[in-house]
């Protein structure tokens, strides 16, 4: 009886009938959200019954959208180029949505003009969706400005923080709802799927949304998946330390490659290199004794041609696949696999068919540097493609290892 009372005091009464693994995942998410926050006072009332678990990240996005449709069945807004299935889901299962795919300050001005003319009364926006940072070009919109617009025109903001992750960024000072694919870095093993949505008790629509969510919510995260997810996520922060460091080294390497005469690389996309870096930095958690927040484990390389991108992709001796946040490094020719039928449309928003997305894993950074150095030598025609011997770590990066 004492344990049950303690759980109710902690705000997990909605979890009655859940497994201990489900409860521990919710508690871990709350603890991570409260760790080194941007605005500590906003999280004082956050409890585990504000966390809703789902079978995957997209299941979380679908169910949040479904709840918002029941609450206010009007137009949605997508700001910035989000994961490709998010706008498609809003288009298929909603009345309408507006897409601001660049996420720039100029588009913010356009959005404000639109809201002034159309976002009032019965036409209030259902919700605005965005990411921190975006996939795959790692841009972050001005979330503080979006929050101000949400307050002025009375709509909730839903932010997907999967790329930035609980470890690095805190968006609870700007989001009404935070959605996360737990399949990615939270799990870190690519062997289980899960997703979460967290309602923010410090935001104006909390009570209304909480009532809507609780009315029809059912926990459909399979208990064995919850057990594996809880086990995998125990070392989440220590993994984040490793991948932040390794990814920084790799981004430095590819930036160096880009600056070399004759390089086939035309751009490297990473939150620290993006025009929106200040927007991302505004959401960074405070550094602590055991963790310094960083820019995450995902970056994207743009090549001068599809042929060069193909050589790099095929010659790099790492795993290939569409996921991210796994323990092993993964390459994905993003536009070729995701927008194969929509290449021209994607290119309008900066996603060229020559990009390769890199999700960095837990391998020894020296090994990854050797692998990618060899791949770049082959890509630039300085090493025969059939050559298999790993070349030395570039001299400029040795001091950083």
């Amino acid at each position: 009886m004492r344990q049950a009372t303690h759980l109710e005091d902690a705000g997990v009464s909605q979890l009655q009938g859940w497994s201990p693994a489900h409860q521990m995942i919710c508690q871990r998410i709350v603890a991570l959200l409260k760790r080194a926050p941007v605005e500590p006072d906003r999280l004082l009332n956050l409890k585990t019954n504000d966390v809703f678990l789902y079978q995957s990240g997209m299941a979380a996005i679908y169910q949040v959208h479904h709840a918002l449709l029941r609450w206010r069945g009007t137009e949605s807004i997508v700001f910035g180029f989000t994961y490709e299935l998010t706008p498609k889901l809003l288009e298929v299962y909603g009345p309408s949505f507006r897409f601001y795919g660049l996420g720039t300050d100029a588009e913010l001005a356009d959005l404000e003009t639109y809201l002034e003319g159309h976002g009032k009364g019965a036409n209030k926006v259902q919700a605005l969706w965005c990411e921190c940072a975006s996939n795959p070009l790692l841009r972050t919109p001005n979330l503080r400005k979006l929050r101000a617009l949400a307050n002025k025109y009375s709509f909730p903001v839903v932010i997907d923080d999967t790329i930035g992750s609980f470890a690095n960024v805190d968006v609870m000072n700007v989001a009404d709802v935070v959605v996360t694919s737990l399949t990615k870095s939270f799990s870190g093993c690519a062997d289980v799927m899960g997703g979460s949505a967290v309602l923010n008790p410090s935001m104006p629509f909390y009570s209304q949304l909480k009532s809507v969510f609780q009315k029809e919510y059912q926990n459909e995260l399979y208990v064995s998946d919850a057990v594996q997810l809880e086990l995998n996520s125990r070392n989440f922060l220590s993994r984040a330390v490793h991948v932040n460091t390794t990814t920084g080294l790799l981004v430095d390497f590819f930036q160096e490659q880009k600056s070399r005469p004759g390089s086939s690389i035309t751009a490297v996309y990473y939150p620290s290199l993006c025009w929106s870096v200040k927007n991302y930095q505004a959401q960074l958690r405070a550094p602590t004794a055991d963790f310094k927040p960083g820019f995450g484990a995902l970056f994207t390389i743009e090549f001068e041609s599809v042929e060069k991108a193909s050589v790099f992709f095929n010659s790099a001796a790492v795993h290939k696949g569409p996921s991210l946040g796994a323990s092993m490094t993964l390459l994905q020719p993003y536009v070729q696999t995701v927008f194969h039928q929509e290449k021209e449309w994607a290119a309008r928003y900066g996603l060229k068919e020559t990009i390769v997305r890199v999700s960095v894993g837990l391998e020894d950074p020296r090994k990854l540097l050797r692998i990618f150095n060899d791949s770049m030598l082959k890509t630039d025609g300085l090493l025969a493609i059939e050559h298999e011997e790993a070349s030395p770590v570039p001299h400029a990066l040795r001091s950083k290892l």
Side-chain angles (χ1 to χ4, degrees), residues 266-278:
T266 56
V268 180
Y269 297 97
Y270 193 53
S272 64
L273 303 176
C274 187
W275 54 262
S276 63
V277 60
K278 291 184 179 179

Side-chain angles (χ1 to χ4, degrees), residues 46-335:
L46 180 66
K47 297 181 179 180
T48 49
N49 64 9
D50 295 319
V51 181
F52 295 80
L53 299 179
Y54 301 95
Q55 311 97 303
S56 67
M58 282 311 302
I61 289 172
Y62 171 81
Q63 292 296 348
V64 169
H65 178 56
H66 186 62
L68 290 168
L69 281 172
R70 297 196 307 272
W71 172 68
R72 183 191 287 177
T74 54
E75 181 179 60
S76 300
I77 291 172
V78 175
F79 198 83
F81 204 100
T82 60
Y83 176 57
E84 52 104 11
L85 289 180
T86 299
K88 288 181 178 178
L89 184 151
L90 300 180
E91 180 180 29
V92 171
Y93 296 104
S96 63
F97 83 102
R98 294 182 67 83
F99 184 61
Y100 296 84
L102 296 175
T104 59
D105 288 345
E107 285 196 332
L108 259 174
D110 292 342
L111 172 60
E112 186 167 13
T113 299
Y114 174 77
L115 291 171
E116 185 61 30
H118 301 85
K120 302 176 181 178
N123 296 321
K124 288 179 181 176
V125 168
Q126 175 182 290
L128 182 145
W129 296 72
C130 58
E131 295 180 344
C132 182
S134 69
N135 180 10
L137 297 186
L138 293 309
R139 298 165 175 164
T140 304
N142 188 331
L143 298 178
R144 309 296 178 96
K145 178 63 174 178
L146 289 175
R147 180 70 254 167
L149 291 178
N151 291 341
K152 181 178 180 180
Y153 295 100
S154 190
F155 60 83
V157 175
V158 184
I159 300 180
D160 187 336
D161 69 345
T162 300
I163 304 301
S165 86
F166 296 136
N168 294 311
V169 298
D170 172 22
V171 296
M172 292 293 280
N173 64 324
V174 287
D176 294 85
V177 186
V178 178
V179 293
T180 309
S181 174
L182 304 178
T183 308
K184 309 303 192 298
S185 61
F186 185 79
S187 167
C189 294
D191 63 352
V192 66
M193 299 178 72
S196 66
V198 180
L199 300 185
N200 189 342
S202 73
M203 290 300 174
F205 296 111
Y206 171 74
S207 297
Q208 296 177 50
L209 296 180
K210 186 71 172 284
S211 176
V212 174
F213 271 67
Q214 288 181 323
K215 186 174 181 179
E216 294 189 20
Y217 175 72
Q218 300 216 2
N219 172 28
E220 296 181 335
L221 179 61
Y222 186 53
V223 62
S224 293
D225 288 343
V227 169
Q228 191 63 48
L229 192 57
E230 188 282 320
L231 178 65
N232 291 354
S233 61
R234 291 178 185 179
N235 64 348
F236 170 63
L237 280 181
S238 62
R239 286 187 281 106
V241 171
H242 183 96
V243 295
N244 278 346
T245 301
T246 301
T247 308
L249 289 169
L250 293 176
V251 167
D252 286 347
F253 165 75
F254 283 106
Q255 276 289 90
E256 181 184 290
Q257 291 290 305
K258 174 179 171 289
S259 65
R260 187 178 52 76
S263 174
S264 57
I265 294 177
T266 56
V268 180
Y269 297 97
Y270 193 53
S272 64
L273 303 176
C274 187
W275 54 262
S276 63
V277 60
K278 291 184 179 179
N279 298 334
Y280 182 94
Q281 289 174 325
Q283 306 307 136
L284 278 175
R285 295 185 179 277
T288 60
D290 59 342
F291 188 84
K292 179 181 178 181
F295 295 94
L298 197 73
F299 67 97
T300 295
I301 311 164
E302 181 183 287
F303 292 89
E304 64 182 15
S305 67
V306 171
E307 291 73 23
K308 294 291 187 180
S310 296
V311 172
F312 172 80
F313 179 81
N314 291 324
S315 64
V318 296
H319 293 277
K320 317 293 167 55
S323 191
L324 58 94
S327 58
M328 72 290 290
T329 296
L330 294 169
L331 300 188
Q332 180 186 9
Y334 196 83
V335 171

